[in-house]
Amino acid sequence: MTILLPGAAGYIGSHTAIALVQAGYDVAIVDDFSNASPEAVRRCEELTGKKMPLYEADVADKAAMEKIFDEVKPAAVIHFAGFKAVGESVAKPLKYYRNNLDTTLTLLECMAEAGCKAFIFSSSATVYGARAAVPYTEESETGGCTNPYGWTKFMIEQIAAGAAKADPDMSVVLLRYFNPVGAHPSGRIGENPSGIPNNLMPYITQVAVGRLPQLSVFGDDYPTPDGTGVRDYIHVMDLAEGHVKALEYALGHKGTEVFNLGTGHGVSVLELVHAFERASGVKIPYRIAPRRAGDLAEVYADPSKAERVLGWKATRTVEEMCADSWRWQSNNPNGY
């Protein structure tokens, strides 16, 4: 059984590809490498000892994707393809709406034509917006997103749910990620952002390895224990294993279902910095910068539904997240 993974040369997709192969699935990957490297796929093959067919294509290109569907004949699609930088989405909203919506529409059209009925989507806690109270449950209010990136995730959830409503044989699983960090414990694959990182952990690791001079902590006056923002950091391998469980569920399910993938525990920016210092033995210089527009004080999940329905629970600690992130970055100071 082959699972098609659009965008899986990237951070979360590459780790999920490994977890899927280890669970007995075949995978095929499509990526245009606009924010990823084919080296990540090569290393996934090295770690699993299994070939992962790789197609270089824009997932929004209907003709290219029709050929790939015809060749792969996937049993399911796990959709990772999309732009993901919150700040860039504010500066370039049309780029985000065009890419993230077009890739999804093309995939769903190709799935309908090919008779592929299981669709799993990389959504995000950003769909909850500013109005929902923590911890977020799957029933928390969505919408009111604070940036175009979040709105694309919200819109794609509506599009996919609409497709499932129109086709009673279709299964859609929407996975709302919280804050993925960490790396494969081998240190061979990890998060490799292009340019200055938008996320906290790769910024910390690049400071630790000497690529960046210091960390900017955006705001220390939030109503949190140490004044810095609190987030639900989840190890990327826990997240990858959540996709395996979601796939098992999707293959035997019809309709649309939503799951939070998080730990249920909030960790502040400075708590994560100090945990990383302990794990790596490297002091992280930082400065306090003004708050960023749209940032919330606290974001963390209630992940109990995923445990109850999927039998999945995050198990890796913050210390493991930091140690694995440092192993990846120190072994690959310049990325792939």
Side-chain angles (χ1 to χ4, degrees), residues 71-212:
E71 188 170 323
V72 172
K73 296 179 174 53
V77 173
I78 306 180
H79 179 19
F80 297 104
F83 296 145
K84 62 177 186 176
V86 168
E88 185 185 43
S89 80
V90 175
K92 300 177 180 178
L94 300 184
K95 173 182 177 180
Y96 271 66
Y97 288 119
R98 171 67 71 188
N99 180 76
N100 292 7
L101 298 182
D102 277 4
T103 53
T104 304
L105 291 165
T106 296
L107 283 171
L108 290 168
E109 288 170 354
C110 288
M111 287 178 66
E113 292 166 7
C116 179
K117 300 296 185 181
F119 182 75
I120 297 163
F121 174 57
S122 299
S123 192
S124 165
T126 55
V127 302
Y128 292 116
R131 295 193 294 261
V134 293
Y136 297 154
T137 73
E138 291 81 358
E139 287 73 42
S140 295
E141 183 181 1
T142 57
C145 304
T146 57
N147 53 74
Y149 163 77
W151 278 116
T152 66
K153 295 294 189 184
F154 176 83
M155 291 174 183
I156 290 166
E157 287 196 1
Q158 310 310 306
I159 291 166
K165 190 172 183 179
D167 182 351
D169 291 325
M170 190 168 182
S171 174
V172 166
V173 177
L174 307 172
L175 299 178
R176 293 175 181 161
Y177 305 165
F178 280 70
N179 289 71
V181 297
H184 191 270
S186 67
R188 294 293 289 152
I189 64 168
E191 190 167 7
N192 185 43
S194 57
I196 295 175
N198 293 285
N199 297 326
L200 178 59
M201 184 63 89
Y203 209 114
I204 291 172
T205 62
Q206 289 192 18
V207 170
V209 85
R211 284 175 62 179
L212 294 170

Side-chain angles (χ1 to χ4, degrees), residues 220-234:
D220 65 348
D221 58 349
Y222 287 105
T224 60
D226 62 18
T228 63
V230 168
R231 296 293 181 267
D232 188 338
Y233 296 99
I234 176 173

